[in-house]
Amino acid sequence: MTDTAQSEPSSKKTNILFIMYDQLRFDYLSCAGHPHLDTPNFDRVAKMGVRFTNAYIQSPICGASRMSTYTGRYVSSHGAAWNGYPLRVGEHTMGDHLRKAGMDCWLIGKTHMKADADGMARLGLSPDSVIGARQAECGFDIWIRDDGLWAQGPDGFYDERRSPYNEYLKSKGYPSENPWADFANAGVDDQGDMASGWMFKNTDKAANIREEHSETPWLTDRTMDFIEQAEGPWCAHVSFIKPHWPYIVPAPYHDMYGANHVPAPKRHEMEREDPHPVYGAYMENRICSAFQQEEVRQKVIPAYMGLIKQCDDQLGRLLDFLEETGRMESTMIVLTSDHGDYLGDHWMGEKDLFHEQSVKVPMIIYDPRPEADATRGKTCDALVESIDLAPTFVDLAGAKVPDHILEGRSLLPWLEGKTPEWREFAICEYDYSATPQCVKLGLEPKDARLFMVFDGRYKLMHAEGGLRPMLFDLQSDPDEFNDLAKQPGHEDILDALYDKLATWGRRLAQRVTRSEDDIKNMRGRSLRRGVLPFMIDGSEVDEELTMYYRGPAPKWDSLDD
Amino acid sequence: MTDTAQSEPSSKKTNILFIMYDQLRFDYLSCAGHPHLDTPNFDRVAKMGVRFTNAYIQSPICGASRMSTYTGRYVSSHGAAWNGYPLRVGEHTMGDHLRKAGMDCWLIGKTHMKADADGMARLGLSPDSVIGARQAECGFDIWIRDDGLWAQGPDGFYDERRSPYNEYLKSKGYPSENPWADFANAGVDDQGDMASGWMFKNTDKAANIREEHSETPWLTDRTMDFIEQAEGPWCAHVSFIKPHWPYIVPAPYHDMYGANHVPAPKRHEMEREDPHPVYGAYMENRICSAFQQEEVRQKVIPAYMGLIKQCDDQLGRLLDFLEETGRMESTMIVLTSDHGDYLGDHWMGEKDLFHEQSVKVPMIIYDPRPEADATRGKTCDALVESIDLAPTFVDLAGAKVPDHILEGRSLLPWLEGKTPEWREFAICEYDYSATPQCVKLGLEPKDARLFMVFDGRYKLMHAEGGLRPMLFDLQSDPDEFNDLAKQPGHEDILDALYDKLATWGRRLAQRVTRSEDDIKNMRGRSLRRGVLPFMIDGSEVDEELTMYYRGPAPKWDSLDD
């Protein structure tokens, strides 16, 4: 595959527009079959490229999922297992690999990356240096970094950085210290009071902001600014905060959808009967309890749909811009998300667990190269993981994929209509050590870890801490209501999935300083450097190898003491 | 445990003399029951402290084993899986942890560590800086670094550094460019020609050097130089190259032992009947074929014993020095090795596989603190791993053991006569990707990996690459001749050991930027920083938490466009 890509001059001229939406569910697009939500621009990219229908993230939480996507490595390999868990200094990222391949790698928007300040200090790295800045920013060069959560509470700001978006709103004249909270993410109630988007009762109100100034159009403008001046080859990670909560959207999107557009919740009473302890603990938390109320779903989901509709319209602007400026033939476009949103399905809100609504994401890739003409408009149901993007980009940049570091696999063969040998199971992990559920279950942080193994039909959830597993058969039970692990008779299936998890557990993830080729090249080297721990009299090898160990014995009669 | 140590002022005053011998077999000491080899000084330390009779290294090869000992982490966790595979930049070492605890950490001798030059360059670290030097030297400050293999061949030196030992011999007047090879590791034959210690036919000759100038006395002198000037608290890693090959020793040690002192080889014909493919490939290599010849064993083993006897005498010098200078009460003494030596047992030479002769090492610890008085002269049969030393030293230094990074466990409880909750199995790994055996078996480097799981009775060897396992019952078959995996009826035992391997495979090894305490302390923090993704109307939480989301709505009528 790599060799093919390397032999293609076309790939050398291709830039990458790597667009990530935050908390966008796989099935909230018309091309993915949503009954009411029309997303013509997502569909337009799907028609130009390939839509991967079985794309799984490596952790159902922003930070850990993104660290896997940006490093091309599983969570247990890079270790940044939850929001605010720093990515260890020195960990290789997409940017490291792409720059080595001669491609710039820029960030426009959110990463949710926390720098390993202690590690950087230990190595004497200053965030002010180019090297230090890249270490502190997950390997990206920064066009704009805005994680999009400028929440404020009694202990201060959730994100202590300066908000470029707040600066923008202030420059536009919005009179507030935190216009993100007061305008972009709040409406106005009947008394003229602030109606914060944090509160579900307000999610049907229009955000108190001019639509073109809201977050998605703002970042789209910044993206066009970047592209206008960029000289290739470049990879731009355009990372939108939406449709992530707070669930509130400006007019006209706030009332485009109503309760009649809200699908019935996918949930079943049997899920609440003796639920798995972790699942049970989540079902009872505040956000899940809220989403269990139909009136909450009917207020929140239309806002979520409105946010997606706005994302689609802004994507349309971007696509038109690429066409009008003649860049469509030289730009790979990737559309994906960092995880889904339960929206009340399975009695859950948010993400955190391993049902499809949480771990499956949209993955649409338009590859402009002629090699990809055969697959335009097609879907691919291979088991794809978010960690496959980094190697795909390195491959496109024409470099050999460093598979001793990157654990994902290039998707170019699929885009070119080939059928490569592929993984037999997808892995997802969740570390809930910092959550109230860990406390509620009385677990130590080290034991609050979940692993998903999905082989395309069966999905296992293994829980550390001595807790039982969960098992679903998505063929006979596509909605994942029926936990087979609670019933006898599935030992063989559990064993088979546990074997896959064990195989994965023994994977080669940390031998990052020696590639397969390095190793082949170093073989026998010590022999030619005089290390000969096996000879009886020297006749076993060429004379050349023993040249330094023969001849008259030197004398030491006259040592100066 | 940690708290105890912290509350002990005595620990604060204790320095650590961490002595490692290279390739010293667990059973070649009189305190371990060797029938002919008398090692009164090893025994003396055993009488003063505790001898651990089930101490296992984490890889049967110098480099990988040492990287585990120095990082306190398994090979699959640090990734430096074989000799010359660099330790990734940023990996925490014993030195990092001890300096943080206020204890210096010095190297006197060998580490076999290869610096991650690419990684250092990527992070802009210069080996000339203090930080860079420690990164390049496995976290140690260097008193003397000498890996003791100054072999030379047509492609140059095996070790391209400058040899402090060769400089020393030259300063003493030994007339040679490489006196290590020409004097310290060669004898003189009847024709007056050099009789290299590389060749087994020469191993019964005396090395052509004055005994006090040979490697073990030289490093012992350097150790006393260090101690004379050192101000505590300090940890000194004194790392001898011997009794590692080349097998040759100066007079009078060269003829202290003869064929009559060589134990019969522990091997059985059944081991050669349909051997495991990896075992079979090793049995046929040059060094094993040589050690399968009794005349080779009878020439080599007496030299190996002489080298150990010299190590024992030099240890005696060191112990006397500590007593005479009043340092014995303030110095913990650790005696161990990086792996064993088959010496013809199991039809093998060298190390590489998982039989006791290869993976079990001496582990003798003298703890001068009064807390350890109860265990003096005792043995402990707990399953100890080399990675337990780093946490033991951190514990002794009075710091809390960072168990989110260190995978070993402090041995202080055992030394204090306590019975801590302990591991149920020991792990050892071997990566033979760079060896001829990998080529012979037609494996890719990534598949040339072996894992040992030993639960105190049963020992499993799992081989990647689709190869079958090996299984031994050391209770009914202490010599490990009978591979039970070749016979039916042991599926349950194999399953149980594979379950342990799978549990280990899911271990938390890379979440190194957040301790268990860090995680407990960060819980609920986002809530007090305004992240409230679960409210219906705000009444769910204290008013304080929503303070920034209430009040009259600001207006934006007059925006400047």
Side-chain angles (χ1 to χ4, degrees), chain B residues 178-215:
Chain B
N178 185 359
W180 176 89
D182 301 347
F183 290 101
N185 288 281
V188 183
D189 70 13
D190 308 341
Q191 290 71 44
D193 284 337
M194 195 187 304
S196 173
W198 283 119
M199 298 166 202
F200 293 158
K201 70 167 182 176
N202 300 325
T203 54
D204 58 350
K205 296 186 169 55
N208 184 19
I209 189 171
R210 199 181 282 173
E211 192 273 331
E212 73 244 40
H213 296 156
S214 58
E215 288 161 282

Side-chain angles (χ1 to χ4, degrees), chain A residues 76-77 79 83-86 88 90-92 96 114 116 122-125 131 135 151-158 160 171-175 182-183 188 192-194 196 198-201 208-210 213 245 286-287 293 296 431 433-434 438-439 444-446 449 462 464 501-502 505-506 508 510-511 513-514 516 519-520 522-523 526 528-538 540 544-545 548-556 559-561, chain B residues 76-77 79 83-86 88 90-92 96 114 116 122-125 131 135 151-158 160 171-175 182-183 188 192-194 196 198-201 208-210 213 245 286-287 293 296 431 433-434 438-439 444-446 449 462 464 501-502 505-506 508 510-511 513-514 516 519-520 522-523 526 528-538 540 544-545 548-556 559-561:
Chain A
S76 286
S77 300
N83 293 340
Y85 290 25
R88 64 185 285 178
E91 189 71 11
H92 292 73
D96 295 315
K114 185 169 175 66
D116 177 10
R122 194 163 56 86
L123 297 181
L125 292 178
I131 289 173
Q135 282 296 313
Q152 199 173 1
D155 291 351
F157 278 93
Y158 170 73
E160 278 153 347
S171 75
K172 286 294 177 186
Y174 287 89
D182 301 346
F183 291 100
V188 184
D193 284 337
M194 198 187 302
S196 172
W198 284 119
M199 298 166 201
F200 293 158
K201 69 167 182 175
N208 184 18
I209 190 171
R210 196 181 285 173
H213 296 157
W245 42 256
R286 272 220 181 87
I287 190 156
Q293 303 171 41
V296 167
D431 182 321
S433 52
C438 174
V439 179
E444 286 303 306
K446 63 180 169 51
R449 296 182 297 135
H462 165 74
E464 292 292 317
L501 182 58
R506 297 188 309 264
L508 190 53
Q510 303 303 330
R511 198 176 71 185
T513 58
R514 278 273 185 260
E516 297 282 288
I519 289 167
K520 290 175 179 174
M522 74 186 277
R523 288 173 181 160
S526 63
R528 291 191 52 82
R529 288 173 178 270
V531 175
L532 310 169
F534 54 69
M535 301 188 307
I536 291 173
D537 60 13
E540 299 87 343
E544 184 191 18
L545 296 182
Y548 290 96
Y549 304 127
R550 284 181 272 109
K555 300 199 175 351
W556 50 274
L559 295 186
D560 32 313
D561 289 318
Chain B
S76 286
S77 300
N83 292 340
Y85 289 25
R88 63 185 286 178
E91 189 71 12
H92 292 73
D96 295 313
K114 185 171 176 64
D116 177 9
R122 193 164 56 88
L123 296 183
L125 292 178
I131 289 173
Q135 283 295 313
Q152 200 172 3
D155 292 351
F157 279 93
Y158 169 73
E160 279 154 347
S171 75
K172 288 293 176 185
Y174 288 88
D182 301 347
F183 290 101
V188 183
D193 284 337
M194 195 187 304
S196 173
W198 283 119
M199 298 166 202
F200 293 158
K201 70 167 182 176
N208 184 19
I209 189 171
R210 199 181 282 173
H213 296 156
W245 42 258
R286 272 219 182 89
I287 189 156
Q293 304 172 42
V296 167
D431 182 323
S433 52
C438 174
V439 179
E444 286 302 306
K446 63 180 170 48
R449 297 183 295 136
H462 164 74
E464 291 293 313
L501 182 57
R506 298 189 309 264
L508 190 53
Q510 304 302 330
R511 198 176 71 186
T513 59
R514 278 273 185 261
E516 297 282 287
I519 290 167
K520 289 175 179 173
M522 74 186 278
R523 287 173 181 159
S526 63
R528 291 191 52 83
R529 289 173 177 271
V531 175
L532 311 170
F534 55 68
M535 302 189 303
I536 291 173
D537 59 14
E540 299 87 342
E544 186 190 16
L545 296 181
Y548 290 96
Y549 304 128
R550 285 180 271 112
K555 299 199 175 354
W556 51 272
L559 295 188
D560 33 313
D561 289 317

Side-chain angles (χ1 to χ4, degrees), chain B residues 88-157:
Chain B
R88 63 185 286 178
V89 66
E91 189 71 12
H92 292 73
T93 61
M94 190 179 279
D96 295 313
H97 299 299
L98 289 180
R99 277 188 293 272
K100 212 166 162 187
M103 179 179 274
D104 292 337
C105 191
W106 289 85
L107 172 69
I108 305 169
K110 167 175 179 170
T111 63
H112 218 130
M113 186 264 193
K114 185 171 176 64
D116 177 9
D118 293 350
M120 289 179 64
R122 193 164 56 88
L123 296 183
L125 292 178
S126 155
D128 305 333
S129 65
V130 172
I131 289 173
R134 286 171 176 166
Q135 283 295 313
E137 292 290 3
C138 209
F140 292 106
D141 286 321
I142 303 304
W143 184 255
I144 283 183
R145 163 90 186 257
D146 192 309
D147 279 7
L149 264 188
W150 304 102
Q152 200 172 3
D155 292 351
F157 279 93

Side-chain angles (χ1 to χ4, degrees), chain B residues 338-350:
Chain B
D338 58 348
H339 54 72
D341 190 326
Y342 277 104
L343 297 173
D345 292 347
H346 301 286
W347 313 97
M348 295 276 292
E350 274 275 60

